[in-house]
Amino acid sequence: MVYLFASDFDNTFYFKDGFHKSDIDSIHAFQNEGHLFGLSTGRSYHGIIHVVKDLIHFDFFLLVTGSYLLDKDKNIIYQNPIDSKTAKTIFDKYKDEVSIAINTGERYIPVSDSAGAFKEEIFDYPSDETVFCVSCSCKKKEDVPFYKKKNKKEFSSLTAHQNGTFFDITNKKCSKGNSIDILRKQYEKPFVFGIGDNYNDITLLDSADVSFTFTYSDEEVKKHAEYIVNNIKEAIDIALKIISESE
């Protein structure tokens, strides 16, 4: 049987103080056993590679909240971009209320900073980019549900995924959970472990065969996880034990 471990990135694997060596070592141990480890994240490809460099060689990339999926060689498994006219309409509607960036799958482009979310250079809204996600940042976490509800009412073909102060708008069919369902089709009856810390990870946790979240996750997220752990190392130790006991 093929064993896959799909992990969120920010505040799961990558923190304000960077990566934790014990997590890196445990991922290497998991892969050295012949198992596959990859990411399920809202980030773009270069948003991952620029930070990780050569620390880990991932076996798959489930990017942009399930709308842009790549194998380890960067071959496209699945893609579901937002219509360019719709993406521009979202930008025009929200640009004076929240900070906005677009995610092209390959890169993340800040285009408005109304909420003061970005330290990077702000660019003009690009007219020639494929857009997989319009990422919006509110000034505070408590504002996100209002915009999620507003987005659902005004854009019926889209959905908004909450991640802290951000809500990431993708096509409705896209989610971290749906990306797991697509990944399953690439292998013969794989067994999937999943880990994440935030609301946009709930579908990932629900779709995994065994799910993990953290002691610091919100209570609502914890309801969707089978195990509550302190770090990825603990989760991988449990995963390896489950694998060992099943063989």
Side-chain angles (χ1 to χ4, degrees):
M1 178 178 287
V2 177
Y3 292 94
L4 313 175
F5 203 118
S7 174
D8 178 41
F9 189 70
D10 293 283
N11 296 317
T12 292
F13 175 48
Y14 180 63
F15 301 89
K16 289 182 179 179
D17 62 348
F19 300 100
H20 298 166
K21 185 178 183 301
S22 59
D23 291 339
I24 298 292
D25 290 344
S26 67
I27 293 167
H28 287 155
F30 188 81
Q31 291 178 313
N32 288 340
E33 290 288 329
H35 312 311
L36 307 182
F37 187 93
L39 294 178
S40 177
T41 176
R43 286 196 180 216
S44 67
Y45 178 78
H46 287 288
I48 295 295
I49 298 303
H50 175 73
V51 178
V52 177
K53 297 182 170 51
D54 291 324
L55 280 175
I56 296 286
H57 296 288
F58 298 107
D59 295 299
F60 53 86
F61 300 85
L62 312 181
L63 305 170
V64 202
T65 318
S67 58
Y68 188 61
L69 315 184
L70 308 174
D71 67 14
K72 66 178 181 178
D73 298 317
K74 211 186 168 188
N75 297 308
I76 296 174
I77 299 172
Y78 174 83
Q79 57 181 333
N80 191 347
I82 298 174
D83 173 79
S84 59
K85 183 178 179 180
T86 301
K88 182 62 164 60
T89 300
I90 297 168
F91 170 75
D92 289 337
K93 183 172 287 292
Y94 292 149
K95 65 182 179 181
D96 296 326
E97 302 175 41
V98 298
S99 296
I100 297 177
I102 63 168
N103 195 324
T104 71
E106 291 296 313
R107 63 193 184 118
Y108 188 78
I109 307 173
V111 290
S112 167
D113 200 21
S114 299
F118 305 124
K119 295 180 181 179
E120 305 102 310
E121 181 181 354
I122 301 301
F123 298 89
D124 291 333
Y125 188 90
S127 58
D128 57 347
E129 294 277 4
T130 299
V131 178
F132 288 91
C133 169
V134 179
S135 182
C136 306
S137 176
C138 301
K139 290 183 178 179
K140 52 188 179 181
K141 180 179 176 180
E142 291 74 20
D143 292 338
V144 174
F146 166 78
Y147 283 101
K148 283 187 66 179
K149 185 176 181 179
K150 184 177 180 180
N151 180 78
K152 184 177 181 180
K153 181 178 180 180
E154 296 181 354
F155 300 99
S156 60
S157 65
L158 307 175
T159 189
H161 313 270
Q162 181 173 356
N163 184 15
T165 60
F166 285 82
F167 62 101
D168 295 332
I169 302 171
T170 67
N171 275 323
K172 183 172 282 188
K173 291 183 179 180
C174 300
S175 71
K176 291 189 176 187
N178 186 57
S179 70
I180 294 298
D181 295 338
I182 293 169
L183 190 66
R184 286 184 189 277
K185 297 176 183 178
Q186 304 297 307
Y187 303 92
E188 187 175 349
K189 298 181 179 179
F191 190 95
V192 180
F193 299 95
I195 189 167
D197 72 302
N198 219 307
Y199 288 91
N200 64 341
D201 296 307
I202 286 176
T203 59
L204 163 63
L205 302 181
D206 289 344
S207 295
D209 294 296
V210 174
S211 55
F212 305 87
T213 194
F214 300 96
T215 53
Y216 53 81
S217 301
D218 283 357
E219 291 302 315
E220 182 59 33
V221 179
K222 290 179 180 178
K223 292 177 184 178
H224 296 264
E226 188 172 350
Y227 293 93
I228 309 299
V229 296
N230 290 297
N231 49 54
I232 282 185
K233 180 186 183 304
E234 285 187 15
I236 289 180
D237 286 346
I238 293 169
L240 288 172
K241 182 179 180 182
I242 290 172
I243 294 169
S244 176
E245 291 175 349
S246 68
E247 294 181 339

